[in-house]
Amino acid sequence: MFYYVSPLYEGIGEQNTIWAVMTVVVALEYTAGATIYKSINRMTATILGGFLAVAIHAIAIQFGQYFELVIVGISVFLSALAATFSRFIPTVKVRFDYGAMIFILSYCVIGVSGYRVENLVEMAYQRALTIVIGVVMCMLVSMLIYPVWAGEELHHLIARNMENLANSLDGCVTEFFKEKNTNGNVENQKSLLGYKCILNSKAGEESFANFAVWEPAHGPFNFRHPWKQYLKIGASMRNCAFCIEVLNGCINSEVEAPDSVKKRLSDACIILSSYSSRVLKELAISTRTMRRSSIIDLLIGEMKDALQQLQISLRSLPSLITPPPLLLLPPPPPPTKLPEGPEEEQEEIKEPISTPTIVPLIEVAPLVTVASLLIEIVSRIEGVVKAVKELVKLLDFKPEIEKPMQPINNPNSEYQDQQNMKAQQEV
């Protein structure tokens, strides 16, 4: 447009027209927040850099041509030094890092060019004007034509990660207690690895939160929306994902616990994982719809009850792996002798002694590890619940329409179906 429309091309000039094009290419990003962030930083840094360069040049020419070079050189060095070291300040690096870099570029270009250009003020004005035009075009396009809001992306990312975390937790526990010869489908295998998205989402969450601050109010998100609280929720979910990663490593363990010991903890572990995943899914629904959940407290209470049942089952486990204490027994009776015959040899009949079956500790270690990880995951889920409740309090979520609580499917139904199928095959 600047090249084809003659009034715009002649008014701005051939050398400055390219800066408007370059601004659009550099500043336009995927999300509206990122575009606004780069546009405002670029516009502000260019204006400040140009204004400072013109002021220093006006002062330098008062001292003669020789001292002008010295003053301009020293000012370029000091301004670049100050802008560079300011980028190490955390607050400046998060919000104004791009602006500091553009400030150095603009000041150096305009300040050094002032030695050869006669009308430096006109040059700085045209450069600032072209960049302002490009910046305004970028912001209008990003906000009006199919906008992608960084805040909305962060909101949906947090809710989606909660669902992935719940599916991974439920899938890992079910996979551990199922029959080894049974092969799971592809969807179950994908759900097991959903926690990896949470472990790798920290950079994306921080980027969306930083860009969302620059966005105007849109939809349910106001100017002072607590974006930092979303980062706290994401950090709490990553704490759970670390435990689930260890839990996933126990699935392919070469050491397998005996079935008799495994059945003692299978029901309690599957029920606990089912209740825990329901808590996470309910939190995801509450976060996505921005409404206060009416059954979350009930689900948390059921999760704690299931946790107590698992702890009771763990307390009864040492009786299987610890040998009974030695008791003072009476001496055994003498062996019974058979009557002697002419061709019969004397044989001794030894009475069988029954000994309790003791399970080696190494075989029970993976099972105890899974149960211990589930207990730790429950405590970390409570941290997620606390962070979400704080978000609900900050935003004052509206209460959702009361709905009847759905009955919980038997969490170990898949395990029982496998046992029934195995019994039918044997028959």
Side-chain angles (χ1 to χ4, degrees), residues 13 18 24 44 70 100 116 122 131 136 141 176-178 210 242-243 264 277 303 313 327 338 363 387 392-393:
I18 192 63
V24 174
T44 306
V70 177
R116 297 294 182 182
E122 182 67 21
I131 289 180
V136 172
V141 169
F176 180 81
F177 286 103
K178 76 174 186 180
N210 294 331
F242 291 141
C243 289
R264 281 179 172 264
S277 62
M303 181 182 68
S313 301
L327 300 177
L338 296 176
E363 295 183 2
V392 172
K393 184 179 179 181

Side-chain angles (χ1 to χ4, degrees), residues 32-41 139 142-143 149 214-216:
T35 302
I36 295 172
Y37 157 77
K38 297 188 74 172
S39 299
I40 293 178
N41 273 267
M139 290 193 294
S142 63
M143 289 189 294
W149 303 106
W214 297 88
E215 295 177 345

Side-chain angles (χ1 to χ4, degrees), residues 26-57:
V26 173
L28 195 61
E29 293 288 341
Y30 171 69
T31 61
T35 302
I36 295 172
Y37 157 77
K38 297 188 74 172
S39 299
I40 293 178
N41 273 267
R42 186 176 184 86
M43 179 176 60
T44 306
T46 302
I47 294 174
L48 290 178
F51 177 79
L52 185 60
V54 171
I56 295 297
H57 177 73

Side-chain angles (χ1 to χ4, degrees), residues 281-351:
K281 290 179 180 179
E282 186 65 25
L283 292 176
I285 295 174
S286 177
T287 303
R288 180 180 291 108
T289 59
M290 300 185 71
R291 289 188 174 272
R292 196 185 304 269
S293 176
S294 59
I295 62 173
I296 186 63
D297 293 332
L298 180 60
L299 293 176
I300 294 173
E302 292 176 346
M303 181 182 68
K304 292 181 178 179
D305 293 339
L307 177 61
Q308 293 179 357
Q309 294 296 327
L310 178 59
Q311 291 175 346
I312 293 173
S313 301
L314 281 175
R315 293 190 186 100
S316 64
L317 193 61
S319 61
L320 298 176
I321 60 177
T322 304
L326 297 176
L327 300 177
L328 296 177
L329 301 176
T336 305
K337 295 183 179 181
L338 296 176
E340 298 180 357
E343 297 179 357
E344 294 179 355
E345 296 180 354
Q346 185 176 356
E347 296 181 358
E348 296 181 354
I349 301 176
K350 298 182 180 179
E351 297 181 359

Side-chain angles (χ1 to χ4, degrees), residues 81-293:
L81 182 68
T84 301
F85 279 96
S86 67
R87 299 173 66 183
F88 292 98
I89 302 174
T91 305
V92 176
K93 184 174 181 60
V94 170
R95 297 191 177 184
F96 308 107
D97 183 71
Y98 182 72
M101 182 178 61
I102 297 299
F103 173 80
I104 298 173
L105 176 64
S106 300
Y107 182 81
C108 292
V109 170
I110 297 176
V112 174
S113 301
Y115 184 74
R116 297 294 182 182
V117 177
E118 295 181 358
N119 195 353
L120 185 63
V121 177
E122 182 67 21
M123 174 188 172
Y125 170 76
Q126 291 182 354
R127 175 179 169 83
L129 179 61
T130 54
I131 289 180
V132 168
I133 293 174
V135 161
V136 172
M137 291 179 61
C138 288
M139 290 193 294
L140 290 178
V141 169
S142 63
M143 289 189 294
L144 299 180
I145 302 178
Y146 296 104
V148 179
W149 303 106
E152 188 175 355
E153 291 292 320
L154 175 62
H155 181 79
H156 292 300
L157 176 63
I158 293 296
R160 187 167 58 249
N161 284 345
M162 286 186 190
E163 293 182 350
N164 292 335
L165 190 66
N167 294 332
S168 296
L169 174 59
D170 208 2
C172 286
V173 176
T174 304
E175 186 75 13
F176 180 81
F177 286 103
K178 76 174 186 180
E179 293 292 335
K180 294 298 181 182
N181 297 329
T182 306
N183 295 326
N185 52 21
V186 179
E187 294 182 358
N188 292 337
Q189 296 296 330
K190 290 183 178 180
S191 65
L192 292 179
L193 303 178
Y195 67 91
K196 291 187 176 181
C197 299
I198 305 168
L199 296 177
N200 300 327
S201 65
K202 182 179 180 181
E205 292 173 3
E206 292 179 350
S207 177
F208 284 141
N210 294 331
F211 294 147
V213 177
W214 297 88
E215 295 177 345
H218 57 280
F221 310 107
N222 298 324
F223 277 105
R224 295 189 175 273
H225 198 80
W227 300 115
K228 292 184 179 180
Q229 187 62 31
Y230 286 91
L231 299 181
K232 294 181 181 179
I233 297 174
S236 300
M237 288 192 296
R238 273 187 292 277
N239 290 335
C240 295
F242 291 141
C243 289
I244 295 179
E245 185 177 22
V246 181
L247 182 63
N248 187 37
C250 298
I251 295 177
N252 299 323
S253 177
E254 297 180 356
V255 181
E256 185 177 355
D259 293 337
S260 60
V261 181
K262 209 170 185 179
K263 289 180 181 179
R264 281 179 172 264
L265 297 180
S266 62
D267 294 343
C269 291
I270 293 175
I271 291 174
L272 180 58
S273 67
S274 177
Y275 284 129
S276 301
S277 62
R278 286 204 63 186
V279 170
L280 291 173
K281 290 179 180 179
E282 186 65 25
L283 292 176
I285 295 174
S286 177
T287 303
R288 180 180 291 108
T289 59
M290 300 185 71
R291 289 188 174 272
R292 196 185 304 269
S293 176

